[in-house]
Amino acid sequence: MMNAEFTQHAPRNTFPIGVFDSGVGGLSVLRAVRAQMPEESILYFGDQGHVPYGPRSMGQIQSFSEGITKFLLDHDSKLIVVACNTASAAALTYLRGRFPAVLFVGMEPAVKPAAEATKTGRVGVLATPATFQGALYASVVERFAAGVELFQHTCPGLVSQIEKGDLDSTVTRVILEDALFPMLENNIDTVVLGCTHYPFVIPLIEQIVGKNVRVIDPAPSVAKQVKRLLEAAGITNQAQGHASIRFFTSGDPSEMKSMLPVLLGESGEVESVTWKNDREII
Ligand code: DGL
């Protein structure tokens, strides 16, 4: 299915950037991309029919990521942002193998900047089980965490809380305190947000850890990488002004629509899409 809006002889630099996540988490990356490149139109896909990805198998996440990538390419995406640490860990290498001509930008837990920033040499990392189990995280730790002690936690239930828009309730606070209090007792001075959902609870995290602990959200660096790749490929949009965003969900469109003003500070229509046997979006 090709999208007439972009396909009929439109120059490729006017095509959209495709961004996807298991749910609303990737909106924290979309927010950063939009701040740095407001002239770029964006297609955002939240796979809320399958969220959370964290407890799922690599095979399932690869299959979902491939189906979503095909959908975004069918809508003329000129670059794909895997705005999901879990999908990046499980599927980024797989996607680059399946779509060798496509530009991909994925997430990488920000261990490198954290290791450079820490004074105590003790860093907390919050991410999902699948992210911690992936080869990508092991590689990042091996390359950048020499001399740094890492304290990891998977924050069970936090993604679901954020998907419900529950950003500061007692339930959400307790999930974060269970993760952060032991880290504080171990004298961490830096926390890495290794899940794109977690930037939406930074205010609560900062309340818990206090002002002497630095919280690192990788989204701005990811947006810079998107800009670098588009410029290197000569496909940045030269138009001025705020371009459009189209939102898609495999879940309930009204739920995502209600979250946009809360998470993104802007409203929008959300289009519903359906999976066919969990491999193809129709
Ligand atoms: N927001 C995603 C991440 O960065 C996925 C969380 C989930 O679906 O478990 O890992």
Side-chain angles (χ1 to χ4, degrees):
M1 172 180 67
M2 301 303 277
N3 185 295
E5 183 186 345
F6 290 106
T7 307
Q8 287 161 2
H9 314 305
R12 191 155 169 257
N13 67 312
T14 64
F15 287 13
I17 297 169
V19 181
F20 78 88
D21 176 51
S22 58
V24 294
L27 293 173
S28 66
V29 179
L30 180 152
R31 181 171 61 179
V33 170
R34 195 147 175 77
Q36 291 188 35
M37 294 166 273
E39 70 286 350
E40 293 289 350
S41 56
I42 297 173
L43 305 177
Y44 183 83
F45 188 104
D47 191 14
Q48 294 175 297
H50 290 132
V51 73
Y53 278 8
R56 290 181 180 276
S57 70
M58 282 187 65
Q60 272 191 322
I61 299 168
Q62 287 172 357
S63 175
F64 297 156
S65 300
E66 180 172 359
I68 296 166
T69 297
K70 283 178 181 166
F71 173 84
L72 292 172
L73 293 174
D74 283 348
H75 283 73
D76 296 311
S77 294
K78 62 186 175 185
L79 178 148
I80 304 282
V81 182
V82 184
C84 173
N85 290 266
T86 303
S88 296
L92 193 55
T93 302
Y94 173 79
L95 290 174
R96 286 179 168 142
R98 295 286 291 152
F99 306 94
V102 172
L103 292 174
F104 285 100
V105 175
M107 303 302 295
E108 181 175 280
V111 171
K112 183 172 187 287
E116 289 163 354
T118 181
K119 299 288 184 290
T120 63
R122 291 156 173 254
V123 170
V125 184
L126 307 180
T128 68
T131 296
F132 282 130
Q133 288 153 19
L136 178 62
Y137 180 70
S139 161
V140 164
V141 170
E142 186 186 343
R143 282 180 287 151
F144 304 121
V148 172
E149 193 167 359
L150 298 177
F151 300 85
Q152 300 167 184
H153 205 285
T154 60
C155 304
L158 185 55
V159 167
S160 300
Q161 287 295 107
I162 295 166
E163 284 288 313
K164 291 187 296 189
D166 193 340
L167 307 182
D168 56 10
S169 69
T170 302
V171 171
T172 302
R173 174 182 285 274
V174 167
I175 292 171
L176 284 166
E177 287 174 346
D178 286 351
L180 294 168
F181 280 166
M183 293 179 177
L184 292 169
E185 284 164 15
N186 279 289
N187 199 25
I188 62 152
D189 64 353
T190 310
V191 175
V192 170
L193 302 186
C195 170
T196 55
H197 280 76
Y198 297 173
F200 292 117
V201 290
I202 284 179
L204 187 49
I205 292 172
E206 289 178 336
Q207 280 177 33
I208 295 168
V209 300
K211 63 182 185 313
N212 295 325
V213 175
R214 179 175 170 178
V215 181
I216 297 181
D217 171 9
S221 303
V222 174
K224 284 193 184 84
Q225 177 63 4
V226 171
K227 189 176 175 75
R228 268 195 295 271
L229 285 190
L230 291 177
E231 287 172 345
I235 51 174
T236 56
N237 190 351
Q238 304 303 318
Q240 299 304 312
H242 264 73
S244 66
I245 306 178
R246 285 182 73 182
F247 299 94
F248 301 91
T249 180
S250 60
D252 177 349
S254 62
E255 276 181 19
M256 182 184 277
K257 182 178 168 71
S258 68
M259 295 288 286
L260 296 179
V262 175
L263 301 181
L264 209 51
E266 57 181 289
S267 57
E269 292 308 312
V270 179
E271 300 170 62
S272 173
V273 295
T274 309
W275 283 99
K276 182 182 167 196
N277 58 50
D278 266 358
R279 299 190 68 82
E280 182 190 356
I281 294 164
I282 51 176

